[in-house]
């Protein structure tokens, strides 16, 4: 390893099922196939890919230390989140990029579809002891520039996140991604 191996979070627990995938639906743990339209878009992007980026805009936003987007998935380091709650909002602060999401809980509707945002437009509600966050209206900016990445944000993405407090030290986090264009 290198001098900074100390910062990597390699994980210390094995789940009882020994599952190696985040994906639980479909049950085989594999991403569904890309749509024919998305396959063409990816092929065209790969074909047009220059040997060197023409500008900073051709470099992935994670590599540029801007964001890795949603959903919240662990990476090699800086996997900490701080969650704050008021009666009408939840705020989630991510250690990696000091990103702050503010999620209204007051039942307001989503902003118009024409208003795309980096982290989409989130609205939260409680289902028992589970916070359900529904996010739409993603801007077409967070995609991995030259790859078909499942985290690729685009206007057709719909993300549902579920945060359930299991005990004093544990929050179960589940998410569902729907994107008919991908």
């Amino acid at each position: 390893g290198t001098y900074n191996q100390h910062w990597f979070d390699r994980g210390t627990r094995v789940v009882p099922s020994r599952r190696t995938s985040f994906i639980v639906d479909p049950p085989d743990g594999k991403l569904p196939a890309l749509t024919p339209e998305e396959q063409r878009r990816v092929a065209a992007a790969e074909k047009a890919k220059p040997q060197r980026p023409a500008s900073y805009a051709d470099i992935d936003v994670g590599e540029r230390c801007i964001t890795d987007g949603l959903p919240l998935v662990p990476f090699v380091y800086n996997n900490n989140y701080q969650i704050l709650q008021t009666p009408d909002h939840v705020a989630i602060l991510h250690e990696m990029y000091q990103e702050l999401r503010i999620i209204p809980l007051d039942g307001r509707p989503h902003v118009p579809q024409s208003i795309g945002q980096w982290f989409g437009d989130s609205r939260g509600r409680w289902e028992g002891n589970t916070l359900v966050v529904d996010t739409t209206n993603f801007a077409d900016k967070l995609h991995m520039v030259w790859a078909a990445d499942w985290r690729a944000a685009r206007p057709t993405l719909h993300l549902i996140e579920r945060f359930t407090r299991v005990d004093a030290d544990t929050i179960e986090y589940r998410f569902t991604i729907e994107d008919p264009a991908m």
Side-chain angles (χ1 to χ4, degrees), residues 9-16 18-19 166-167 169-171:
D9 184 357
R10 307 254 184 236
T12 57
R13 293 186 307 158
V14 177
V15 295
R18 301 182 64 81
R19 183 176 195 88
V166 175
D167 59 41
D169 299 318
T170 309
I171 293 178

Side-chain angles (χ1 to χ4, degrees), residues 74-101:
F75 292 101
V76 293
Y77 57 89
N78 289 345
N79 291 316
N80 297 308
Y81 293 89
Q82 183 175 19
I83 301 174
L84 305 159
Q85 179 182 342
T86 70
D88 55 357
H89 289 84
V90 168
I92 302 174
L93 179 63
H94 183 200
E95 175 184 29
M96 180 68 133
Y97 302 110
Q98 294 79 47
E99 299 166 336
L100 178 63
R101 287 174 69 196

Side-chain angles (χ1 to χ4, degrees), residues 87-124:
D88 55 357
H89 289 84
V90 168
I92 302 174
L93 179 63
H94 183 200
E95 175 184 29
M96 180 68 133
Y97 302 110
Q98 294 79 47
E99 299 166 336
L100 178 63
R101 287 174 69 196
I102 298 176
I103 303 163
L105 302 174
D106 58 8
R108 72 181 71 175
H110 285 285
V111 298
Q113 279 188 305
S114 60
I115 303 174
Q117 300 178 56
W118 281 75
F119 288 104
D121 182 48
S122 296
R123 298 293 183 258

Side-chain angles (χ1 to χ4, degrees), residues 67-73 81 92 99 101 118-122 133 135 138 142 149-153 157 159 161 173 175 177:
T67 186
D68 277 321
L70 295 174
L72 312 176
V73 293
Y81 293 89
I92 302 174
E99 299 166 336
R101 287 174 69 196
W118 281 75
F119 288 104
D121 182 48
S122 296
V133 180
T135 307
F138 287 91
L142 295 178
D149 187 298
W150 63 271
R151 295 176 299 126
L157 177 72
L159 173 66
E161 300 165 286
Y173 175 69
F175 60 88
I177 297 173

